[in-house]
Every structure is written in C-alpha cells, then in structure tokens.
Amino acid sequence: MIASTRFSVLDRSRTREGHDGPRALRDTVDLAREAEALGFHRFWVSEHHGVPGVAGSAPTVLAAAVAAATSTIRVGTGGVMLPNHRPLVVAEQFGVLASLFPGRIDMGLGRSVGFTDGVRRALGHGKEDAEDFPGRLTELLGWIDGTQQAHPGVHAHPAEGLRIPAYVLAIGEGASVAAAAGLPLVIGDLRGRDKVLRAIEVYRRDFRPSACAERPEVIVAGTVAVAGTEEAARRLLVPEAWAMAYSRTHGDFPPLAPAGRVEALTMTAKERSLYEQGLDGHIHGTEDQVTAQLERAIGETGADEVLVTTSTYDREGLVDSLRRLARIARPPARAGARAAHRPVPGGRHRP
C-alpha cells in the first residue's frame, strides 16, 4: 500500500529557541527544497495569527517564496483559513500564484478562526464566521470558475477560468462540507484514528462528484518521525509535545526547545500528563517500525496520500527523518514507472 500512496510535507514554520520568526520562514523554504529533492509530491504551508511560536501568518505569500525556490514540487496551503478572509481576495491571491507557477499550486482551505478572542477581534472575524464556511467555500469556487452571482459584473482576475485544485481541511464535521462540494478531503491527525475513520466514512458515503473531483480523494495528515533508533525518533517528538503541554497550562505557545532541555525540566503533574499525551500515538521509530505503522494507517484509512506535519527543534534530525521516510515511501518522482500516469480526481496524474 505504501508503494501506491503519495507522500507530501506540511511545514508550520515553527520558531525555535535562539532562532527567530524570519529564520523559521527561511527554514521552511530550505525544507521545501529538500522535500523536492527527495521526490515528495507536494509541500504546503500553514496559517496562524498572533501565535508566538509560529511564524507562518501569510500562507499565500510564503507559498510564493516556496514556489520560487523550487521547480517541480506542488506548492500550496494547509491551509488558508477562509473565515478570516473575503473569498474574492483569496481567489485573486491564488490566481496570481497559479499564473506565476502554472500547474503547481494547490488551494488548501480550512474553517478555523483566530487562536484567541483578541486575535479574532483584530482579524475582524468571530467564531460565527466559521459556521458560514460552506457558503464562503461556494463563493470562492464561484469566483474561480466564473459562476458566482452575488456580485454581478465583478470578476476575480486573474483567477477566473484558471484550474486551481481546491482541498478542504477537516478535523471532523468539515468532512461533510468536502463531500457536498465534491472536493478532496485533508484530515488529521493519525492519532485520533477512530474519529478520523468515522469522518472518512461519512465523506466517502456522501461524496458528490463535481468538476473538481470525480471520486473521493483522502489525504491523511499526521506526525511521522523516523530515525536510526526508536528512542531517537521519539526525541524528535519531544519539543512539540512540550510546547503543546505548556500552551495548555500557561496559555502561551512557546518556541520549540531542544529535546535535552525539555527532558531535564521539572514538570507539574498536569504538565507531565499533557506532555506524555503529546508524545503518544504518533507514527515514529526506525524505518522498519514506521513502515509497519504506515501500512496499517493507510490500510485502515484507504488514504490516497499522507501529509507529514512533523515539527521539531532539531532541523538536521527533521531532514534526516524525511530522507528516511523517502526511502520507505519511494515517492513517485524516484520510483520511475511504479506509479506512472495513475489517474486521480480532476484529471491529474501521479508523476
């Protein structure tokens, strides 16, 4: 199953102790070059506002930098949070990207709003805007295919008439939105397997073929860490697990700390519990161990693609993990005729 599955990378531009936001963004571009060299299918960037530990606040801008620094890998967003933006502006931004980098741009769209009440007020959008996600999605797609009727005589240039593949990011209920719109589903994470499986079942059951996709397409997202030993792979997970535990106990999302410093910390009982939860359930280990775990995950979900979202302090360890994953996955660009011209929704083909 691994041999017939695409593998891609999502980088959240996490800051690290001693390395500021600008460095994190440059690290993201460097990682995209590495992912392309390793033959991964696509490279996506994320959107977060007012989060101290995340530098990626403008995903379409960052996607432009990534696309300019690479030449073959697909580039996109995981995702643009549609409730934060006017659909016309999103259409125009992706129209510019797709015009500059034809055939390489993906439009991943999510329904999340700001991280805190203060951020939501600053953005001018509240939680109620997320409830209108289906309407905003319909309007956005209408700007691109020229069918929108809400604003007669207004056109989204240069997006209108371009083919810009759209994807819906979901945790649970978003699966129904993707199914109704006839769009591919991006869902995570792999740790909450039962919840993910239920959402995928709903998506496949309710999917309506569209001009964008003739059949359901599922991309599962999650953390994957591969190293020479199981313990080394686990240590790659430590910085993010602690950052999540700290944010839930202190209300502040910190930069990633080195694994050794985290392991030496004296934690409260609550911090320790949340930290251990953050380490649990991720796909990690040696190449043989990860191969077995991925085979199970792909078999259970029927995923067409795995989107790897690993964040860690150790960038060398992260790159080594991707290199090991590339050997496991044998991405299409390196596998030659293995997956040549395998059809996927919307008339695209696996490379």
Side-chain angles (χ1 to χ4, degrees), residues 1-8 38-41 295 298 303-305 325-343 349-351:
M1 283 178 285
I2 287 178
S4 60
T5 304
R6 297 185 301 258
F7 281 78
S8 299
L38 291 170
F40 286 92
H41 182 63
E295 284 282 358
I298 295 167
D304 299 280
E305 184 171 337
L325 179 59
R327 288 201 292 267
I328 293 170
R330 294 181 297 143
R334 307 188 100 192
R338 171 177 57 83
H341 302 298
R342 177 179 174 181
H349 298 275
R350 298 181 191 267

Side-chain angles (χ1 to χ4, degrees), residues 101 244 291 294 311 344:
F101 308 102
M244 293 298 295
T291 296
L294 283 172
S311 296
V344 297

Side-chain angles (χ1 to χ4, degrees), residues 36-328:
E36 179 176 74
L38 291 170
F40 286 92
H41 182 63
R42 65 180 102 239
F43 189 94
W44 281 6
V45 297
S46 62
E47 174 181 338
H48 296 275
H49 298 282
V51 182
V54 185
S57 57
T60 55
V61 177
L62 184 53
V66 168
T70 55
S71 58
T72 58
I73 196 168
R74 297 196 64 87
V75 176
T77 55
V80 164
M81 297 302 143
L82 201 49
N84 293 335
H85 311 280
R86 296 297 303 174
L88 170 60
V89 175
V90 175
E92 290 172 336
Q93 290 174 345
F94 277 96
V96 170
L97 283 171
S99 298
L100 292 172
F101 308 102
R104 294 180 58 207
I105 299 300
D106 299 325
M107 184 169 61
L109 305 163
R111 67 186 295 271
S112 296
V113 291
F115 185 60
T116 65
D117 289 338
V119 170
R120 289 190 287 272
R121 286 193 296 270
L123 289 169
H125 298 282
K127 293 181 179 180
E128 67 278 1
D129 291 297
E131 302 306 316
D132 190 36
F133 178 63
R136 288 172 178 262
L137 177 62
T138 298
E139 181 184 340
L140 172 58
L141 297 177
W143 285 116
I144 294 173
D145 66 18
T147 62
Q148 75 82 25
Q149 300 296 322
H151 306 277
V154 183
H155 299 272
H157 299 304
E160 187 173 305
L162 296 181
R163 174 156 180 79
I164 308 173
Y167 301 78
V168 172
L169 280 64
I171 297 176
E173 60 270 22
S176 295
V177 177
L183 293 176
L185 174 70
V186 184
I187 188 164
D189 65 28
L190 287 169
R191 292 194 300 166
R193 194 71 56 82
D194 290 342
K195 184 177 181 179
V196 166
L197 291 177
R198 288 194 298 271
I200 291 174
E201 181 181 5
V202 169
Y203 169 69
R204 290 197 173 111
R205 183 194 68 201
D206 297 342
F207 181 84
R208 301 175 184 174
S210 69
C212 298
E214 297 175 357
R215 67 167 181 87
E217 180 180 356
V218 175
I219 301 174
V220 293
T223 296
V224 179
V226 198
T229 66
E230 183 176 1
E231 178 57 27
R234 183 183 181 278
R235 296 189 87 236
L236 291 176
L237 306 176
V238 164
E240 184 74 1
W242 169 243
M244 293 298 295
Y246 188 91
S247 71
R248 293 181 64 183
T249 51
H250 295 77
D252 183 31
F253 201 62
L256 297 173
R261 192 175 79 74
V262 173
E263 291 170 332
L265 290 173
T266 299
M267 301 182 191
T268 67
K270 185 174 182 180
E271 287 173 341
R272 175 65 62 180
S273 175
L274 291 170
Y275 169 67
E276 294 293 343
Q277 289 175 31
L279 290 172
D280 186 49
H282 296 293
I283 291 178
H284 74 286
T286 65
E287 291 178 35
D288 287 343
Q289 289 172 323
V290 169
T291 296
Q293 293 170 53
L294 283 172
E295 284 282 358
R296 178 181 175 186
I298 295 167
E300 290 179 350
T301 62
D304 299 280
E305 184 171 337
V306 175
L307 182 65
V308 178
T309 62
T310 311
S311 296
T312 189
Y313 178 88
D314 181 1
R315 298 297 289 191
E316 291 184 4
L318 175 59
V319 170
D320 179 66
S321 177
L322 289 181
R323 288 172 178 163
R324 292 173 182 272
L325 179 59
R327 288 201 292 267
I328 293 170

